[in-house]
């Protein structure tokens, strides 16, 4: 259920909300067609962009995996809860950093995804230990994993 939830409930709306992002207004797009000349020449997805996306995905996946193996030797359900929560938050942060102009539906999609994920803790009690998920250790470990997987990659993009 967790994999189905990841692909459909937890991350689908924020990813689809990216189509609502606008660089310029509709009026300016028609007045200045040169703004989108690169799109007409299929330059939006270059080899460089594709390689950056692949590297980012590889780095984040490896960071989450290695930090879960090296840092945590707790109960298996604790590790699952920590890593899965860090994975979802990393994905939501990835989407948030791609958005240039926030709209209400984008904000609702992000918020709804987090709420559905937290609600699923109660629907899937055999996958999440609720008492542990409310503890300080849980939030510290999730924060550490998200910071190690998302932070350096996006710091490089900003610099």
């Amino acid at each position: 259920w967790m994999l189905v939830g990841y692909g459909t409930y937890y991350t689908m709306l924020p990813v689809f909300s990216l189509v609502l992002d606008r660089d310029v207004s509709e009026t300016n797009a028609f007045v200045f067609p040169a703004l989108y000349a690169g799109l007409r020449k299929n330059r939006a997805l270059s080899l460089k962009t594709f390689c950056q996306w692949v590297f980012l995905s590889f780095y984040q996946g490896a960071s989450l995996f290695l930090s879960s193996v090296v840092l945590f030797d707790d109960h298996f359900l604790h590790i699952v809860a920590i890593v899965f929560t860090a994975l979802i938050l990393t994905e939501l942060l990835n989407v948030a950093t791609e958005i240039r102009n926030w709209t209400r539906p984008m904000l609702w999609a992000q918020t709804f995804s987090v709420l559905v994920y937290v609600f699923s803790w109660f629907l899937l009690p055999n996958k999440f230990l609720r008492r542990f998920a409310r503890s300080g250790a849980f939030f510290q470990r999730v924060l550490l994993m998200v910071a190690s997987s998302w932070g350096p990659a996006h710091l490089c993009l900003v610099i």
Side-chain angles (χ1 to χ4, degrees), residues 7-24:
T8 56
Y9 306 119
Y10 309 138
T11 59
M12 179 184 68
L13 287 176
V15 171
F16 281 139
S17 73
L18 285 172
V19 301
L20 302 174
D21 194 14
R22 293 184 176 193
D23 297 341
V24 295

Side-chain angles (χ1 to χ4, degrees), residues 113-152:
S113 292
V114 171
L115 291 176
V116 167
Y117 180 62
V118 171
F119 183 68
S120 68
W121 291 355
F122 299 98
L123 291 177
L124 303 169
N126 59 339
K127 299 291 183 199
F128 296 100
L129 301 174
R130 283 180 259 164
R131 181 179 300 151
F132 176 68
R134 291 189 306 251
S135 70
F138 173 78
F139 288 108
Q140 287 174 343
R141 292 174 180 182
V142 168
L143 184 62
L144 177 68
M145 290 185 75
V146 170
S148 70
S149 68
W150 180 79

Side-chain angles (χ1 to χ4, degrees), residues 3-153:
L3 290 177
V4 171
Y6 177 78
T8 56
Y9 306 119
Y10 309 138
T11 59
M12 179 184 68
L13 287 176
V15 171
F16 281 139
S17 73
L18 285 172
V19 301
L20 302 174
D21 194 14
R22 293 184 176 193
D23 297 341
V24 295
S25 68
E26 216 175 299
T27 308
N28 286 341
F30 285 114
V31 173
F32 304 107
L35 292 173
Y36 293 96
L39 291 176
R40 283 188 244 139
K41 296 177 182 175
N42 292 328
R43 291 186 191 153
L45 180 62
S46 65
L47 182 61
K48 177 185 173 189
T49 305
F50 178 74
C51 289
Q52 286 174 339
W53 288 347
V54 169
F55 175 75
L56 178 66
S57 299
F58 178 77
Y59 171 77
Q60 288 178 336
S63 173
L64 289 171
F65 176 75
L66 291 174
S67 62
S68 69
V69 169
V70 172
L71 297 177
F72 309 126
D73 57 347
D74 285 353
H75 189 268
F76 179 72
L77 286 180
H78 290 182
I79 295 172
V80 169
I82 292 167
V83 174
F84 203 71
T85 303
L87 176 66
I88 289 172
L89 291 177
T90 300
E91 179 61 29
L92 293 177
L93 285 170
N94 284 338
V95 170
T97 55
E98 290 296 322
I99 296 173
R100 293 186 180 151
N101 297 314
W102 283 85
T103 62
R104 279 197 178 126
M106 292 174 177
L107 187 59
W108 292 337
Q110 292 273 4
T111 305
F112 182 74
S113 292
V114 171
L115 291 176
V116 167
Y117 180 62
V118 171
F119 183 68
S120 68
W121 291 355
F122 299 98
L123 291 177
L124 303 169
N126 59 339
K127 299 291 183 199
F128 296 100
L129 301 174
R130 283 180 259 164
R131 181 179 300 151
F132 176 68
R134 291 189 306 251
S135 70
F138 173 78
F139 288 108
Q140 287 174 343
R141 292 174 180 182
V142 168
L143 184 62
L144 177 68
M145 290 185 75
V146 170
S148 70
S149 68
W150 180 79

